[in-house]
Amino acid sequence: MNTENTSDKLEGIIVPMVTPLLSNGELDRKGTERLIRHLTQGGVHGIFILGTTGEASSLKPAIKKELIEITCKESQGQHLVLAGITHTALDVSLKIAKTAKENGAEAVVAAPPYYFHLDQDDLFKYYIRLADLSPLPLFLYNFPVMTKITLEPETVQKLSQHPNIIGIKDSSGNGVYFQNLLELKKGNSEFSVLIGPEEMLAQSVFSGGDGGVNGGANIFPSLYVRLFEAAKNHDFEMVNKIQPLILEISKNIYGCSPKSSSYLCGVKESLYYLGICEPHIAPPLQTVDALTKEKIVQNLEKIIFKIKSI
Protein backbone atom coordinates (compact mmCIF):
# COMPACT_ATOMS: atom_id res chain seq x y z
CA MET A 1 0.00 0.00 0.00
CA ASN A 2 1.93 3.00 -1.22
CA THR A 3 -0.05 6.15 -0.59
CA GLU A 4 1.40 9.35 0.74
CA ASN A 5 -0.44 9.45 4.04
CA THR A 6 -0.75 5.77 4.97
CA SER A 7 1.56 3.13 6.35
CA ASP A 8 2.11 -0.18 4.60
CA LYS A 9 -0.32 -1.87 6.96
CA LEU A 10 -4.03 -1.36 6.41
CA GLU A 11 -5.75 -0.39 9.65
CA GLY A 12 -8.46 1.81 11.15
CA ILE A 13 -12.03 2.29 9.99
CA ILE A 14 -12.46 1.11 6.41
CA VAL A 15 -16.08 2.00 5.77
CA PRO A 16 -18.05 -0.45 3.60
CA MET A 17 -19.79 2.21 1.56
CA VAL A 18 -23.39 1.81 0.45
CA THR A 19 -24.13 2.25 -3.24
CA PRO A 20 -26.51 5.22 -3.60
CA LEU A 21 -29.20 4.42 -6.17
CA LEU A 22 -31.95 6.37 -7.90
CA SER A 23 -35.53 5.12 -8.11
CA ASN A 24 -34.82 3.81 -11.64
CA GLY A 25 -31.98 1.63 -10.36
CA GLU A 26 -29.19 3.75 -11.78
CA LEU A 27 -26.35 5.16 -9.71
CA ASP A 28 -27.14 8.28 -7.70
CA ARG A 29 -24.01 10.15 -8.78
CA LYS A 30 -24.59 13.32 -6.76
CA GLY A 31 -25.51 11.27 -3.72
CA THR A 32 -22.36 9.21 -4.15
CA GLU A 33 -20.23 12.35 -4.24
CA ARG A 34 -21.91 13.73 -1.12
CA LEU A 35 -21.48 10.42 0.68
CA ILE A 36 -17.77 10.23 -0.09
CA ARG A 37 -17.28 13.77 1.22
CA HIS A 38 -19.27 12.84 4.33
CA LEU A 39 -17.03 9.84 4.95
CA THR A 40 -13.73 11.58 4.31
CA GLN A 41 -14.70 14.56 6.45
CA GLY A 42 -15.57 12.07 9.19
CA GLY A 43 -11.97 10.88 9.21
CA VAL A 44 -12.32 7.30 7.98
CA HIS A 45 -9.09 5.59 7.06
CA GLY A 46 -10.39 4.06 3.85
CA ILE A 47 -13.45 3.34 1.71
CA PHE A 48 -14.48 -0.16 0.64
CA ILE A 49 -16.91 -0.20 -2.27
CA LEU A 50 -18.79 -3.11 -3.86
CA GLY A 51 -19.04 -5.21 -0.73
CA THR A 52 -22.11 -6.62 0.98
CA THR A 53 -23.21 -3.21 2.26
CA GLY A 54 -22.60 -1.93 -1.28
CA GLU A 55 -25.08 -4.50 -2.67
CA ALA A 56 -22.44 -5.65 -5.14
CA SER A 57 -24.17 -8.93 -5.98
CA SER A 58 -27.25 -6.99 -7.19
CA LEU A 59 -25.52 -4.39 -9.36
CA LYS A 60 -25.01 -4.51 -13.12
CA PRO A 61 -21.44 -4.18 -14.43
CA ALA A 62 -21.95 -0.61 -15.70
CA ILE A 63 -22.88 0.63 -12.22
CA LYS A 64 -19.86 -1.11 -10.67
CA LYS A 65 -17.57 0.56 -13.19
CA GLU A 66 -19.18 3.95 -12.64
CA LEU A 67 -18.95 3.63 -8.86
CA ILE A 68 -15.26 2.75 -9.02
CA GLU A 69 -14.57 5.75 -11.24
CA ILE A 70 -16.47 8.23 -9.05
CA THR A 71 -15.09 6.94 -5.75
CA CYS A 72 -11.48 7.03 -6.90
CA LYS A 73 -11.93 10.47 -8.44
CA GLU A 74 -13.59 11.95 -5.35
CA SER A 75 -11.00 10.39 -3.03
CA GLN A 76 -8.26 12.09 -5.08
CA GLY A 77 -5.59 9.79 -3.70
CA GLN A 78 -6.07 11.12 -0.19
CA HIS A 79 -7.97 8.09 1.11
CA LEU A 80 -7.53 4.40 0.47
CA VAL A 81 -10.07 2.89 -1.89
CA LEU A 82 -10.70 -0.86 -1.82
CA ALA A 83 -12.93 -2.41 -4.47
CA GLY A 84 -14.87 -5.62 -4.03
CA ILE A 85 -14.28 -8.15 -6.80
CA THR A 86 -16.23 -11.10 -5.40
CA HIS A 87 -17.75 -13.17 -8.20
CA THR A 88 -18.31 -16.79 -9.17
CA ALA A 89 -16.17 -16.34 -12.29
CA LEU A 90 -12.45 -15.64 -11.88
CA ASP A 91 -12.21 -13.67 -15.11
CA VAL A 92 -15.00 -11.32 -14.04
CA SER A 93 -13.24 -10.68 -10.72
CA LEU A 94 -10.03 -9.88 -12.58
CA LYS A 95 -11.85 -7.54 -14.97
CA ILE A 96 -13.21 -5.54 -12.01
CA ALA A 97 -9.74 -5.54 -10.45
CA LYS A 98 -8.31 -4.13 -13.68
CA THR A 99 -10.89 -1.32 -13.67
CA ALA A 100 -10.05 -0.59 -10.03
CA LYS A 101 -6.33 -0.44 -10.84
CA GLU A 102 -6.85 1.85 -13.83
CA ASN A 103 -8.81 4.32 -11.70
CA GLY A 104 -6.38 4.46 -8.80
CA ALA A 105 -7.78 2.07 -6.17
CA GLU A 106 -5.22 0.67 -3.74
CA ALA A 107 -6.51 -2.87 -3.16
CA VAL A 108 -9.26 -5.35 -3.98
CA VAL A 109 -11.39 -7.56 -1.72
CA ALA A 110 -12.75 -11.00 -2.53
CA ALA A 111 -15.02 -13.38 -0.65
CA PRO A 112 -15.05 -17.03 -1.77
CA PRO A 113 -17.08 -17.87 -4.89
CA TYR A 114 -20.52 -18.60 -3.49
CA TYR A 115 -22.30 -21.17 -5.65
CA PHE A 116 -20.42 -24.48 -5.72
CA HIS A 117 -19.21 -25.81 -2.39
CA LEU A 118 -15.42 -25.64 -2.25
CA ASP A 119 -13.16 -27.51 0.13
CA GLN A 120 -10.17 -25.76 1.71
CA ASP A 121 -7.74 -26.98 -0.94
CA ASP A 122 -10.05 -25.61 -3.66
CA LEU A 123 -10.21 -22.29 -1.85
CA PHE A 124 -6.46 -22.12 -1.38
CA LYS A 125 -5.76 -22.76 -5.06
CA TYR A 126 -8.46 -20.30 -6.12
CA TYR A 127 -7.08 -17.47 -4.02
CA ILE A 128 -3.49 -18.18 -5.02
CA ARG A 129 -4.46 -17.89 -8.69
CA LEU A 130 -6.49 -14.74 -8.00
CA ALA A 131 -3.58 -13.18 -6.10
CA ASP A 132 -1.11 -14.17 -8.82
CA LEU A 133 -3.21 -12.47 -11.49
CA SER A 134 -4.61 -9.50 -9.59
CA PRO A 135 -3.06 -6.16 -10.54
CA LEU A 136 -3.71 -4.91 -7.00
CA PRO A 137 -3.05 -6.30 -3.50
CA LEU A 138 -5.78 -8.70 -2.40
CA PHE A 139 -7.78 -8.67 0.82
CA LEU A 140 -9.56 -11.88 1.83
CA TYR A 141 -13.17 -11.70 3.00
CA ASN A 142 -14.66 -14.35 5.31
CA PHE A 143 -18.46 -14.22 5.43
CA PRO A 144 -19.83 -17.77 5.78
CA VAL A 145 -23.46 -16.68 6.17
CA MET A 146 -23.37 -15.38 2.60
CA THR A 147 -20.93 -17.79 0.96
CA LYS A 148 -21.78 -21.09 2.77
CA ILE A 149 -18.10 -21.71 3.51
CA THR A 150 -15.49 -20.58 6.02
CA LEU A 151 -11.93 -19.66 5.19
CA GLU A 152 -10.37 -21.83 7.88
CA PRO A 153 -7.50 -20.26 9.87
CA GLU A 154 -5.02 -22.81 8.49
CA THR A 155 -5.97 -21.80 4.94
CA VAL A 156 -5.70 -18.11 5.80
CA GLN A 157 -2.28 -18.75 7.34
CA LYS A 158 -1.00 -20.35 4.13
CA LEU A 159 -2.54 -17.62 1.98
CA SER A 160 -1.03 -14.88 4.14
CA GLN A 161 2.42 -15.95 2.91
CA HIS A 162 1.55 -14.81 -0.62
CA PRO A 163 3.17 -11.40 -1.26
CA ASN A 164 0.01 -10.04 -2.91
CA ILE A 165 -2.40 -11.06 -0.12
CA ILE A 166 -2.36 -8.35 2.53
CA GLY A 167 -5.13 -9.13 5.02
CA ILE A 168 -8.58 -10.43 5.82
CA LYS A 169 -11.95 -9.00 6.77
CA ASP A 170 -13.87 -11.35 9.05
CA SER A 171 -17.64 -10.97 9.16
CA SER A 172 -18.35 -14.35 10.76
CA GLY A 173 -19.15 -12.88 14.19
CA ASN A 174 -17.24 -15.83 15.67
CA GLY A 175 -14.95 -14.58 18.43
CA VAL A 176 -12.93 -17.79 18.67
CA TYR A 177 -12.33 -17.75 14.92
CA PHE A 178 -11.20 -14.13 15.11
CA GLN A 179 -8.76 -14.95 17.91
CA ASN A 180 -7.29 -17.66 15.71
CA LEU A 181 -6.80 -15.11 12.96
CA LEU A 182 -4.94 -12.86 15.37
CA GLU A 183 -2.52 -15.70 16.07
CA LEU A 184 -1.46 -15.45 12.43
CA LYS A 185 -0.22 -11.93 12.99
CA LYS A 186 2.47 -13.17 15.35
CA GLY A 187 4.30 -14.54 12.35
CA ASN A 188 3.32 -11.80 9.91
CA SER A 189 2.80 -8.45 11.58
CA GLU A 190 2.01 -6.68 8.29
CA PHE A 191 -0.99 -8.93 7.60
CA SER A 192 -4.11 -6.92 8.49
CA VAL A 193 -7.01 -8.49 10.38
CA LEU A 194 -10.21 -6.40 10.34
CA ILE A 195 -13.57 -7.12 11.99
CA GLY A 196 -16.92 -6.77 10.24
CA PRO A 197 -19.51 -6.81 13.08
CA GLU A 198 -19.16 -3.38 14.67
CA GLU A 199 -20.46 -4.60 18.00
CA MET A 200 -17.13 -6.44 18.28
CA LEU A 201 -14.89 -3.59 17.08
CA ALA A 202 -13.56 -2.34 20.42
CA GLN A 203 -12.90 -5.80 21.81
CA SER A 204 -11.21 -6.88 18.57
CA VAL A 205 -8.82 -3.90 18.73
CA PHE A 206 -8.09 -4.59 22.42
CA SER A 207 -7.14 -8.11 21.34
CA GLY A 208 -4.76 -6.93 18.62
CA GLY A 209 -7.04 -6.49 15.61
CA ASP A 210 -6.30 -3.72 13.14
CA GLY A 211 -9.72 -2.07 12.91
CA GLY A 212 -13.12 -2.53 11.40
CA VAL A 213 -15.14 -2.58 8.21
CA ASN A 214 -18.30 -1.30 9.85
CA GLY A 215 -21.53 -0.33 8.08
CA GLY A 216 -22.58 2.21 10.69
CA ALA A 217 -19.62 4.35 9.67
CA ASN A 218 -21.67 5.32 6.61
CA ILE A 219 -23.99 7.22 8.95
CA PHE A 220 -21.62 8.27 11.74
CA PRO A 221 -18.05 8.04 10.38
CA SER A 222 -16.44 10.12 13.11
CA LEU A 223 -18.12 8.08 15.87
CA TYR A 224 -16.55 4.84 14.62
CA VAL A 225 -13.18 6.53 14.15
CA ARG A 226 -13.38 7.76 17.74
CA LEU A 227 -14.21 4.26 18.97
CA PHE A 228 -11.30 2.75 17.05
CA GLU A 229 -8.87 5.36 18.36
CA ALA A 230 -10.15 5.00 21.92
CA ALA A 231 -9.75 1.22 21.78
CA LYS A 232 -6.29 1.50 20.23
CA ASN A 233 -5.23 3.94 22.97
CA HIS A 234 -6.90 1.87 25.71
CA ASP A 235 -9.14 4.79 26.61
CA PHE A 236 -11.66 2.61 28.41
CA GLU A 237 -13.72 5.55 29.59
CA MET A 238 -14.40 6.71 26.03
CA VAL A 239 -15.01 3.16 24.81
CA ASN A 240 -17.60 2.71 27.54
CA LYS A 241 -19.36 5.89 26.38
CA ILE A 242 -19.45 4.94 22.71
CA GLN A 243 -20.07 1.19 22.88
CA PRO A 244 -23.71 1.48 24.06
CA LEU A 245 -24.42 3.74 21.07
CA ILE A 246 -22.91 1.18 18.70
CA LEU A 247 -25.23 -1.45 20.13
CA GLU A 248 -28.17 0.94 19.87
CA ILE A 249 -27.42 1.58 16.19
CA SER A 250 -27.34 -2.15 15.59
CA LYS A 251 -30.60 -2.79 17.41
CA ASN A 252 -32.69 0.25 16.51
CA ILE A 253 -31.42 1.21 13.05
CA TYR A 254 -30.50 -2.14 11.50
CA GLY A 255 -32.99 -4.26 13.40
CA CYS A 256 -36.22 -2.37 12.86
CA SER A 257 -37.69 -5.05 10.63
CA PRO A 258 -37.52 -8.85 10.24
CA LYS A 259 -36.99 -8.39 6.47
CA SER A 260 -33.68 -9.42 4.92
CA SER A 261 -33.27 -5.83 3.76
CA SER A 262 -33.56 -4.37 7.28
CA TYR A 263 -29.85 -3.57 7.70
CA LEU A 264 -29.46 -1.94 4.30
CA CYS A 265 -32.71 0.00 4.66
CA GLY A 266 -31.64 1.20 8.08
CA VAL A 267 -28.40 2.61 6.73
CA LYS A 268 -29.89 4.11 3.58
CA GLU A 269 -32.93 5.63 5.28
CA SER A 270 -30.56 7.23 7.79
CA LEU A 271 -28.44 8.70 4.99
CA TYR A 272 -31.59 9.94 3.28
CA TYR A 273 -32.69 11.66 6.50
CA LEU A 274 -29.25 13.31 6.71
CA GLY A 275 -29.69 14.66 3.16
CA ILE A 276 -26.81 12.65 1.71
CA CYS A 277 -28.34 10.23 -0.81
CA GLU A 278 -31.52 8.55 -1.98
CA PRO A 279 -32.72 5.54 0.08
CA HIS A 280 -33.44 3.05 -2.71
CA ILE A 281 -32.11 -0.52 -2.59
CA ALA A 282 -31.48 -2.89 -5.48
CA PRO A 283 -33.72 -5.86 -6.31
CA PRO A 284 -34.22 -8.64 -5.37
CA LEU A 285 -34.30 -7.08 -1.88
CA GLN A 286 -37.37 -4.99 -1.15
CA THR A 287 -37.60 -1.93 1.07
CA VAL A 288 -39.28 -1.87 4.46
CA ASP A 289 -42.76 -0.38 4.97
CA ALA A 290 -43.52 3.27 5.73
CA LEU A 291 -44.10 2.65 9.44
CA THR A 292 -40.68 1.04 9.78
CA LYS A 293 -39.09 3.95 7.96
CA GLU A 294 -40.68 6.33 10.47
CA LYS A 295 -39.35 4.22 13.31
CA ILE A 296 -35.84 4.31 11.86
CA VAL A 297 -35.93 8.11 11.71
CA GLN A 298 -37.25 8.40 15.26
CA ASN A 299 -34.52 6.12 16.55
CA LEU A 300 -31.89 7.94 14.51
CA GLU A 301 -32.86 11.29 16.02
CA LYS A 302 -32.47 9.85 19.53
CA ILE A 303 -29.02 8.49 18.69
CA ILE A 304 -27.89 11.78 17.14
CA PHE A 305 -28.93 13.57 20.34
CA LYS A 306 -26.92 11.12 22.47
CA ILE A 307 -23.82 11.41 20.28
CA LYS A 308 -23.80 15.17 20.80
CA SER A 309 -23.42 14.64 24.54
CA ILE A 310 -20.22 12.58 24.26
Side-chain angles (χ1 to χ4, degrees), residues 35-69:
L35 178 56
I36 293 168
R37 289 194 293 270
H38 171 65
L39 299 177
T40 55
Q41 290 168 5
V44 300
H45 303 88
I47 296 174
F48 167 36
I49 55 174
L50 299 176
T52 306
T53 303
E55 303 175 80
S57 62
S58 302
L59 302 177
K60 62 184 180 181
I63 288 182
K64 293 183 179 182
K65 183 175 185 292
E66 192 176 10
L67 182 65
I68 290 171
E69 292 170 351

Side-chain angles (χ1 to χ4, degrees), residues 248-261:
E248 190 171 343
I249 291 167
S250 177
K251 179 181 178 182
N252 295 334
I253 301 298
Y254 309 156
C256 273
S257 167
K259 290 182 71 66
S260 297
S261 62

Side-chain angles (χ1 to χ4, degrees), residues 23-130:
S23 59
N24 63 3
E26 296 299 319
L27 187 68
D28 177 4
R29 294 180 62 93
K30 293 296 183 183
T32 300
E33 293 168 357
R34 285 192 295 269
L35 178 56
I36 293 168
R37 289 194 293 270
H38 171 65
L39 299 177
T40 55
Q41 290 168 5
V44 300
H45 303 88
I47 296 174
F48 167 36
I49 55 174
L50 299 176
T52 306
T53 303
E55 303 175 80
S57 62
S58 302
L59 302 177
K60 62 184 180 181
I63 288 182
K64 293 183 179 182
K65 183 175 185 292
E66 192 176 10
L67 182 65
I68 290 171
E69 292 170 351
I70 293 174
T71 305
C72 291
K73 180 181 178 181
E74 286 296 312
S75 297
Q76 297 179 333
Q78 300 302 307
H79 292 82
L80 293 171
V81 175
L82 291 77
I85 61 171
T86 301
H87 202 277
T88 53
L90 179 70
D91 286 352
V92 175
S93 292
L94 291 172
K95 184 175 181 179
I96 301 170
K98 181 174 181 289
T99 299
K101 169 71 172 178
E102 290 171 347
N103 283 277
E106 282 76 23
V108 292
V109 184
Y114 45 82
Y115 188 82
F116 290 112
H117 180 78
L118 305 178
D119 61 28
Q120 294 300 304
D121 184 58
D122 293 335
L123 274 178
F124 174 76
K125 291 175 180 176
Y126 170 80
Y127 274 113
I128 289 295
R129 181 159 177 75
L130 184 60

Side-chain angles (χ1 to χ4, degrees), residues 193-243:
V193 179
L194 303 177
I195 195 83
E198 52 213 64
E199 302 88 345
M200 301 170 67
L201 172 63
Q203 187 58 52
S204 73
V205 175
F206 288 149
S207 299
D210 296 301
V213 187
N214 310 134
N218 280 280
I219 313 167
F220 302 115
S222 61
L223 181 71
Y224 287 79
V225 171
R226 289 171 69 187
L227 179 59
F228 165 75
E229 292 176 346
K232 187 176 180 180
N233 295 323
H234 292 89
D235 183 349
F236 299 107
E237 182 179 354
M238 182 56 68
V239 169
N240 288 334
K241 288 181 179 179
I242 297 177
Q243 184 67 16

